[in-house]
Amino acid sequence: MTVAVVLFTADLRLYDHPPLHAALRAADEVVPLFVRDPAVHAAGFDAPNRAAFLADCLTDLDSSLRRRGGRLVVRSGPVDREVRAVAAACGATEVHMAAGVTGFAHRREERLRHALGADGVRLRVHDAVVTAVAPGAVAPTGSDHFAVFTPYSRRWSGQSLRRPLPAPRAVRVPDGVRGEEPPSRAGLLHLSPQLAEGGETAGRARFARWARADLPRYGERHDDLAGDATSRLSPYLHFGALSPVELIHRARERGGPGAEAFERQLCWRDFHHQVLAARPEASVRDYRTRHDRWRGEEEAAGDIAAWREGRTGYPLVDAGMRQLRAEGWMHNRARLVTASFLTKTLYVDWRIGARYFLGLLVDGDIVNNQLNWQWVAGTGTDSRPHRVLNPVRQGRRYDPDGVYVRRWIAELADVGAETVHEPWRLPAKRRAVLGYPEPLVGLAEGLARFRQARGRG
């Protein structure tokens, strides 16, 4: 009997899983393995919301494998030690895994290659598992990556994607490989009360519902805050419970403007992966410095606390921040507005906002979180780095009736659409009764400070 190990990381699914498919073709028996690596905790990546969602994903993956005659082997400890031990215990000659792009992923791969190589075990790393197009597969002449989205998207759209792979019918796992029970979200503390259910089964069901109801009009509705018509698939993509390759194929099968707009969002995701793969330091340092002298934790402590608590006095900003705490997720338009307010209106270091988001977002990952924050802060790939999103104008445009704001800000539940985005226009007595804070800073004042700091005042 030949045996192979499949190390699951950010690819917690059975459908369209190239490492598992390759292992099943090459070996008689396969060990599906997930390692709860303490390095993840040490790096601060296991925030409560993501830990709960991960537990759902692992439980669902184990159940799906058991329906096929297999099981998920869960181990705890340093990943190189545990993978090496499992490979030795079952006599595996190969270990398969998906490629990652972060510095953490690269270091993990190096340790694994070294540890397994000492035992004569081959590590096979598969591209286009976490992304649709592998980072580095397309690059401009004279550079290792695209720094601008539009030319990248043109080349990306012309790539031939592999056909999605079916889920295996059977997975035969060798006897005697020791493992733990998959973790459970039960008992985890500090979870967002409206956190979504994780797992491939839940993700596929969500996509099916959304594709029927909202995909056709996605292009015109994805910025509609009140309509909440976005796919909400980002957590499932983050954990690999859904395949971006499969989603693109299914969108193309349906066709139309909505499907094209949805595919564009998946292209943005791949774009950020190829940027960070080429510039891993961009997770902590400016991709393109503007020589900012950002306000930090001490200087801006009061402003930062108000922003985190959703009490800035700007309803759209506060609604977004309150949604984040309640759901562990935030509408993309609200993410742009809240990030712009922190970095450009309050002139606070983007890393402070990125770190706070990572502490709550169930879809929070280093690639998309950090590079989206840099895009908004003007230190990333945005071709208009000095643009400032006005939260009042954004509210009037994307939440004209104030439905989204009133959904998340109870103090403004009875305020009409004409003033819900500018409650400071209400009479003083009415404002006092509402209990909603006055604006933290005037928008004109914040804009002037930002322009002066950037040498544009």
Side-chain angles (χ1 to χ4, degrees):
M1 285 287 185
T2 55
V3 182
V5 173
V6 177
L7 177 62
F8 286 83
T9 54
D11 50 349
L12 304 178
R13 62 180 186 267
L14 294 186
Y15 284 87
D16 192 42
H17 197 285
L20 179 59
H21 186 78
L24 288 168
R25 290 182 60 185
D28 300 307
E29 296 180 323
V30 170
V31 180
L33 173 65
F34 183 85
V35 178
R36 302 179 69 184
D37 189 349
V40 174
H41 175 76
F45 293 158
D46 60 343
N49 285 338
R50 290 195 297 281
F53 202 91
L54 170 64
D56 292 349
C57 289
L58 295 176
T59 298
D60 181 68
L61 181 59
D62 181 58
S63 297
S64 296
L65 285 165
R66 289 182 183 277
R67 288 196 296 272
R68 292 163 171 83
R71 62 189 172 96
L72 180 65
V73 176
V74 178
R75 303 273 290 232
S76 295
V79 67
D80 50 342
R81 184 191 76 189
E82 295 303 318
V83 174
R84 186 180 186 185
V86 168
C90 64
T93 56
E94 290 186 339
V95 172
H96 297 255
M97 69 179 297
V101 304
T102 65
F104 182 90
H106 289 159
R107 291 188 295 273
R108 177 177 59 197
E109 181 183 325
E110 290 172 6
R111 291 196 305 271
L112 279 169
R113 198 176 300 279
H114 176 76
L116 294 171
D119 297 335
V121 178
R122 180 185 178 191
L123 178 65
R124 292 190 58 191
V125 179
H126 299 257
D127 287 325
V129 179
V130 173
T131 58
V133 174
V138 294
T141 302
S143 180
D144 56 358
H145 74 291
F146 280 94
V148 180
F149 175 73
T150 300
Y152 174 80
S153 67
R154 293 195 194 102
R155 289 280 297 276
W156 182 91
S157 298
Q159 295 297 298
S160 296
L161 299 185
R162 58 177 174 77
R163 296 300 304 175
L165 299 166
R169 294 183 178 179
V171 178
R172 183 175 178 178
V173 180
D175 296 330
V177 181
R178 179 180 56 83
E180 310 162 4
E181 288 294 318
S184 167
R185 72 160 62 187
L188 287 173
L189 303 177
H190 310 300
L191 299 182
S192 294
Q194 299 176 43
L195 185 67
E197 177 188 4
E200 181 179 22
T201 302
R204 295 183 73 82
R206 180 180 289 274
F207 174 75
R209 292 192 303 270
W210 176 79
R212 287 193 300 269
D214 295 309
L215 179 59
R217 296 182 59 197
Y218 177 73
E220 59 192 90
R221 297 191 63 204
H222 72 277
D223 274 324
D224 177 5
L225 286 157
D228 195 20
T230 63
S231 71
R232 288 181 175 253
L233 297 179
S234 54
Y236 303 94
L237 284 163
H238 169 61
F239 285 94
L242 292 177
S243 158
V245 170
E246 183 182 4
L247 292 182
I248 291 169
H249 275 287
R250 293 183 68 176
R252 288 176 177 176
E253 288 169 359
R254 291 174 176 268
E260 292 172 3
F262 177 60
E263 183 178 332
R264 182 178 174 85
Q265 295 304 311
L266 293 170
C267 180
W268 265 108
R269 185 173 178 271
D270 276 14
F271 172 72
H272 283 152
H273 274 77
Q274 60 95 40
V275 170
L276 197 67
R279 300 290 183 271
E281 68 277 4
S283 65
V284 293
R285 294 202 295 271
D286 290 349
Y287 177 76
R288 289 176 175 149
T289 184
R290 306 296 172 188
H291 305 289
D292 287 293
R293 296 184 178 180
W294 302 107
R295 297 199 300 154
E297 293 276 6
E298 292 186 8
E299 181 182 355
D303 289 352
I304 294 169
W307 176 81
R308 288 172 175 165
E309 295 164 7
R311 296 193 59 79
T312 68
Y314 289 96
L316 184 52
V317 174
D318 295 341
M321 298 305 293
R322 295 186 193 190
Q323 181 183 25
L324 174 61
R325 284 192 293 172
E327 296 188 350
W329 186 88
M330 191 194 301
H331 192 288
N332 186 61
R333 176 53 53 176
R335 296 190 199 202
L336 295 174
V337 174
T338 56
S340 176
F341 187 83
L342 182 72
T343 58
K344 291 176 173 174
T345 303
L346 298 180
Y347 199 57
V348 169
D349 194 325
W350 64 266
R351 281 159 284 243
I352 293 172
R355 186 165 59 249
Y356 184 72
F357 269 32
L358 278 178
L360 286 171
L361 281 174
V362 67
D363 61 14
D365 62 37
I366 291 296
V367 181
N368 294 294
N369 186 67
Q370 308 302 87
L371 291 183
N372 275 318
W373 268 94
Q374 289 226 50
W375 189 91
V376 175
T379 61
T381 61
D382 187 6
S383 59
R384 294 172 56 195
H386 308 298
R387 84 174 90 195
V388 178
L389 299 181
N390 182 309
V392 176
R393 293 175 186 167
Q394 292 282 305
R396 288 173 179 162
R397 182 175 181 181
Y398 298 112
D399 185 31
D401 297 323
V403 174
Y404 176 78
V405 162
R406 285 190 290 270
R407 182 181 299 155
W408 294 108
I409 304 180
E411 304 97 301
L412 303 180
D414 297 323
V415 176
E418 66 279 359
T419 52
V420 74
H421 292 294
E422 299 174 279
W424 53 87
R425 292 173 47 202
L426 294 168
K429 289 184 178 180
R430 178 82 189 282
R431 297 202 306 272
V433 171
L434 292 177
Y436 184 69
E438 295 293 312
L440 200 60
V441 63
L443 295 179
E445 178 187 347
L447 179 60
R449 175 174 53 191
F450 173 69
R451 286 179 172 172
Q452 183 177 8
R454 287 273 173 99
R456 301 173 66 86

